[in-house]
mmCIF file with all atom_site columns, all heavy atoms in Angstrom:
data_model
loop_
_atom_site.group_PDB
_atom_site.id
_atom_site.type_symbol
_atom_site.label_atom_id
_atom_site.label_alt_id
_atom_site.label_comp_id
_atom_site.label_asym_id
_atom_site.label_entity_id
_atom_site.label_seq_id
_atom_site.pdbx_PDB_ins_code
_atom_site.Cartn_x
_atom_site.Cartn_y
_atom_site.Cartn_z
_atom_site.occupancy
_atom_site.B_iso_or_equiv
_atom_site.pdbx_formal_charge
_atom_site.auth_seq_id
_atom_site.auth_comp_id
_atom_site.auth_asym_id
_atom_site.auth_atom_id
_atom_site.pdbx_PDB_model_num
ATOM 1  N N   . PRO P 1 107 ? 93.386  100.357 101.018 1.00 72.00 ? 171 PRO P N   1
ATOM 2  C CA  . PRO P 1 107 ? 92.899  99.051  101.473 1.00 72.00 ? 171 PRO P CA  1
ATOM 3  C C   . PRO P 1 107 ? 92.236  98.254  100.346 1.00 72.00 ? 171 PRO P C   1
ATOM 4  O O   . PRO P 1 107 ? 92.363  97.006  100.325 1.00 72.00 ? 171 PRO P O   1
ATOM 5  C CB  . PRO P 1 107 ? 91.901  99.384  102.591 1.00 72.00 ? 171 PRO P CB  1
ATOM 6  C CG  . PRO P 1 107 ? 92.346  100.730 103.089 1.00 72.00 ? 171 PRO P CG  1
ATOM 7  C CD  . PRO P 1 107 ? 92.839  101.464 101.865 1.00 72.00 ? 171 PRO P CD  1
ATOM 8  N N   . VAL P 1 108 ? 91.547  98.899  99.443  1.00 73.00 ? 172 VAL P N   1
ATOM 9  C CA  . VAL P 1 108 ? 90.920  98.227  98.347  1.00 73.00 ? 172 VAL P CA  1
ATOM 10 C C   . VAL P 1 108 ? 91.976  97.617  97.414  1.00 73.00 ? 172 VAL P C   1
ATOM 11 O O   . VAL P 1 108 ? 91.940  96.452  97.044  1.00 73.00 ? 172 VAL P O   1
ATOM 12 C CB  . VAL P 1 108 ? 89.983  99.120  97.526  1.00 73.00 ? 172 VAL P CB  1
ATOM 13 C CG1 . VAL P 1 108 ? 89.370  98.429  96.330  1.00 73.00 ? 172 VAL P CG1 1
ATOM 14 C CG2 . VAL P 1 108 ? 88.879  99.709  98.423  1.00 73.00 ? 172 VAL P CG2 1
ATOM 15 N N   . LEU P 1 109 ? 92.974  98.411  97.078  1.00 79.00 ? 173 LEU P N   1
ATOM 16 C CA  . LEU P 1 109 ? 94.055  97.972  96.212  1.00 79.00 ? 173 LEU P CA  1
ATOM 17 C C   . LEU P 1 109 ? 94.881  96.856  96.912  1.00 79.00 ? 173 LEU P C   1
ATOM 18 O O   . LEU P 1 109 ? 95.364  95.946  96.267  1.00 79.00 ? 173 LEU P O   1
ATOM 19 C CB  . LEU P 1 109 ? 94.946  99.142  95.850  1.00 79.00 ? 173 LEU P CB  1
ATOM 20 C CG  . LEU P 1 109 ? 94.246  100.197 95.003  1.00 79.00 ? 173 LEU P CG  1
ATOM 21 C CD1 . LEU P 1 109 ? 95.193  101.408 94.847  1.00 79.00 ? 173 LEU P CD1 1
ATOM 22 C CD2 . LEU P 1 109 ? 93.887  99.652  93.621  1.00 79.00 ? 173 LEU P CD2 1
ATOM 23 N N   . THR P 1 110 ? 95.071  96.982  98.212  1.00 76.00 ? 174 THR P N   1
ATOM 24 C CA  . THR P 1 110 ? 95.818  95.958  98.947  1.00 76.00 ? 174 THR P CA  1
ATOM 25 C C   . THR P 1 110 ? 95.131  94.630  98.789  1.00 76.00 ? 174 THR P C   1
ATOM 26 O O   . THR P 1 110 ? 95.812  93.571  98.533  1.00 76.00 ? 174 THR P O   1
ATOM 27 C CB  . THR P 1 110 ? 95.910  96.323  100.419 1.00 76.00 ? 174 THR P CB  1
ATOM 28 O OG1 . THR P 1 110 ? 96.607  97.569  100.552 1.00 76.00 ? 174 THR P OG1 1
ATOM 29 C CG2 . THR P 1 110 ? 96.614  95.263  101.230 1.00 76.00 ? 174 THR P CG2 1
ATOM 30 N N   . THR P 1 111 ? 93.830  94.612  98.908  1.00 72.00 ? 175 THR P N   1
ATOM 31 C CA  . THR P 1 111 ? 93.093  93.332  98.744  1.00 72.00 ? 175 THR P CA  1
ATOM 32 C C   . THR P 1 111 ? 93.254  92.781  97.369  1.00 72.00 ? 175 THR P C   1
ATOM 33 O O   . THR P 1 111 ? 93.430  91.590  97.122  1.00 72.00 ? 175 THR P O   1
ATOM 34 C CB  . THR P 1 111 ? 91.601  93.559  99.105  1.00 72.00 ? 175 THR P CB  1
ATOM 35 O OG1 . THR P 1 111 ? 91.498  94.069  100.416 1.00 72.00 ? 175 THR P OG1 1
ATOM 36 C CG2 . THR P 1 111 ? 90.856  92.221  99.038  1.00 72.00 ? 175 THR P CG2 1
ATOM 37 N N   . GLY P 1 112 ? 93.198  93.663  96.359  1.00 74.00 ? 176 GLY P N   1
ATOM 38 C CA  . GLY P 1 112 ? 93.347  93.231  94.975  1.00 74.00 ? 176 GLY P CA  1
ATOM 39 C C   . GLY P 1 112 ? 94.744  92.682  94.733  1.00 74.00 ? 176 GLY P C   1
ATOM 40 O O   . GLY P 1 112 ? 94.863  91.552  94.131  1.00 74.00 ? 176 GLY P O   1
ATOM 41 N N   . PHE P 1 113 ? 95.802  93.365  95.204  1.00 79.00 ? 177 PHE P N   1
ATOM 42 C CA  . PHE P 1 113 ? 97.154  92.824  95.033  1.00 79.00 ? 177 PHE P CA  1
ATOM 43 C C   . PHE P 1 113 ? 97.352  91.505  95.803  1.00 79.00 ? 177 PHE P C   1
ATOM 44 O O   . PHE P 1 113 ? 98.096  90.637  95.339  1.00 79.00 ? 177 PHE P O   1
ATOM 45 C CB  . PHE P 1 113 ? 98.142  93.846  95.542  1.00 79.00 ? 177 PHE P CB  1
ATOM 46 C CG  . PHE P 1 113 ? 98.428  94.974  94.571  1.00 79.00 ? 177 PHE P CG  1
ATOM 47 C CD1 . PHE P 1 113 ? 98.309  96.309  95.002  1.00 79.00 ? 177 PHE P CD1 1
ATOM 48 C CD2 . PHE P 1 113 ? 98.763  94.709  93.254  1.00 79.00 ? 177 PHE P CD2 1
ATOM 49 C CE1 . PHE P 1 113 ? 98.544  97.352  94.103  1.00 79.00 ? 177 PHE P CE1 1
ATOM 50 C CE2 . PHE P 1 113 ? 99.016  95.747  92.336  1.00 79.00 ? 177 PHE P CE2 1
ATOM 51 C CZ  . PHE P 1 113 ? 98.928  97.061  92.782  1.00 79.00 ? 177 PHE P CZ  1
ATOM 52 N N   . ALA P 1 114 ? 96.711  91.374  96.951  1.00 75.00 ? 178 ALA P N   1
ATOM 53 C CA  . ALA P 1 114 ? 96.846  90.123  97.732  1.00 75.00 ? 178 ALA P CA  1
ATOM 54 C C   . ALA P 1 114 ? 96.350  88.916  96.939  1.00 75.00 ? 178 ALA P C   1
ATOM 55 O O   . ALA P 1 114 ? 96.921  87.824  97.041  1.00 75.00 ? 178 ALA P O   1
ATOM 56 C CB  . ALA P 1 114 ? 96.072  90.255  99.010  1.00 75.00 ? 178 ALA P CB  1
ATOM 57 N N   . ARG P 1 115 ? 95.309  89.129  96.126  1.00 72.00 ? 179 ARG P N   1
ATOM 58 C CA  . ARG P 1 115 ? 94.754  88.026  95.322  1.00 72.00 ? 179 ARG P CA  1
ATOM 59 C C   . ARG P 1 115 ? 95.768  87.573  94.271  1.00 72.00 ? 179 ARG P C   1
ATOM 60 O O   . ARG P 1 115 ? 95.714  86.456  93.826  1.00 72.00 ? 179 ARG P O   1
ATOM 61 C CB  . ARG P 1 115 ? 93.477  88.447  94.703  1.00 72.00 ? 179 ARG P CB  1
ATOM 62 C CG  . ARG P 1 115 ? 92.195  88.123  95.469  1.00 72.00 ? 179 ARG P CG  1
ATOM 63 C CD  . ARG P 1 115 ? 92.219  88.613  96.848  1.00 72.00 ? 179 ARG P CD  1
ATOM 64 N NE  . ARG P 1 115 ? 91.038  88.300  97.642  1.00 72.00 ? 179 ARG P NE  1
ATOM 65 C CZ  . ARG P 1 115 ? 90.778  88.693  98.844  1.00 72.00 ? 179 ARG P CZ  1
ATOM 66 N NH1 . ARG P 1 115 ? 91.679  89.365  99.513  1.00 72.00 ? 179 ARG P NH1 1
ATOM 67 N NH2 . ARG P 1 115 ? 89.655  88.364  99.478  1.00 72.00 ? 179 ARG P NH2 1
ATOM 68 N N   . VAL P 1 116 ? 96.644  88.507  93.863  1.00 72.00 ? 180 VAL P N   1
ATOM 69 C CA  . VAL P 1 116 ? 97.624  88.185  92.833  1.00 72.00 ? 180 VAL P CA  1
ATOM 70 C C   . VAL P 1 116 ? 98.877  87.567  93.377  1.00 72.00 ? 180 VAL P C   1
ATOM 71 O O   . VAL P 1 116 ? 99.417  86.569  92.847  1.00 72.00 ? 180 VAL P O   1
ATOM 72 C CB  . VAL P 1 116 ? 97.956  89.446  92.008  1.00 72.00 ? 180 VAL P CB  1
ATOM 73 C CG1 . VAL P 1 116 ? 99.084  89.139  90.987  1.00 72.00 ? 180 VAL P CG1 1
ATOM 74 C CG2 . VAL P 1 116 ? 96.783  90.041  91.347  1.00 72.00 ? 180 VAL P CG2 1
ATOM 75 N N   . PHE P 1 117 ? 99.373  88.108  94.527  1.00 72.00 ? 181 PHE P N   1
ATOM 76 C CA  . PHE P 1 117 ? 100.682 87.697  95.004  1.00 72.00 ? 181 PHE P CA  1
ATOM 77 C C   . PHE P 1 117 ? 100.664 86.703  96.181  1.00 72.00 ? 181 PHE P C   1
ATOM 78 O O   . PHE P 1 117 ? 101.709 86.161  96.498  1.00 72.00 ? 181 PHE P O   1
ATOM 79 C CB  . PHE P 1 117 ? 101.469 88.999  95.426  1.00 72.00 ? 181 PHE P CB  1
ATOM 80 C CG  . PHE P 1 117 ? 101.857 89.834  94.257  1.00 72.00 ? 181 PHE P CG  1
ATOM 81 C CD1 . PHE P 1 117 ? 101.136 90.991  93.985  1.00 72.00 ? 181 PHE P CD1 1
ATOM 82 C CD2 . PHE P 1 117 ? 102.909 89.517  93.422  1.00 72.00 ? 181 PHE P CD2 1
ATOM 83 C CE1 . PHE P 1 117 ? 101.481 91.845  92.931  1.00 72.00 ? 181 PHE P CE1 1
ATOM 84 C CE2 . PHE P 1 117 ? 103.231 90.300  92.337  1.00 72.00 ? 181 PHE P CE2 1
ATOM 85 C CZ  . PHE P 1 117 ? 102.542 91.481  92.095  1.00 72.00 ? 181 PHE P CZ  1
ATOM 86 N N   . LEU P 1 118 ? 99.508  86.534  96.845  1.00 64.00 ? 182 LEU P N   1
ATOM 87 C CA  . LEU P 1 118 ? 99.482  85.655  97.989  1.00 64.00 ? 182 LEU P CA  1
ATOM 88 C C   . LEU P 1 118 ? 98.702  84.401  97.597  1.00 64.00 ? 182 LEU P C   1
ATOM 89 O O   . LEU P 1 118 ? 97.567  84.477  97.190  1.00 64.00 ? 182 LEU P O   1
ATOM 90 C CB  . LEU P 1 118 ? 98.792  86.373  99.157  1.00 64.00 ? 182 LEU P CB  1
ATOM 91 C CG  . LEU P 1 118 ? 99.558  87.604  99.737  1.00 64.00 ? 182 LEU P CG  1
ATOM 92 C CD1 . LEU P 1 118 ? 98.741  88.199  100.828 1.00 64.00 ? 182 LEU P CD1 1
ATOM 93 C CD2 . LEU P 1 118 ? 100.913 87.239  100.133 1.00 64.00 ? 182 LEU P CD2 1
#
Side-chain angles (χ1 to χ4, degrees):
V172 178
L173 295 172
T174 299
T175 303
F177 281 128
R179 268 51 180 183
V180 176
F181 292 103
L182 297 179

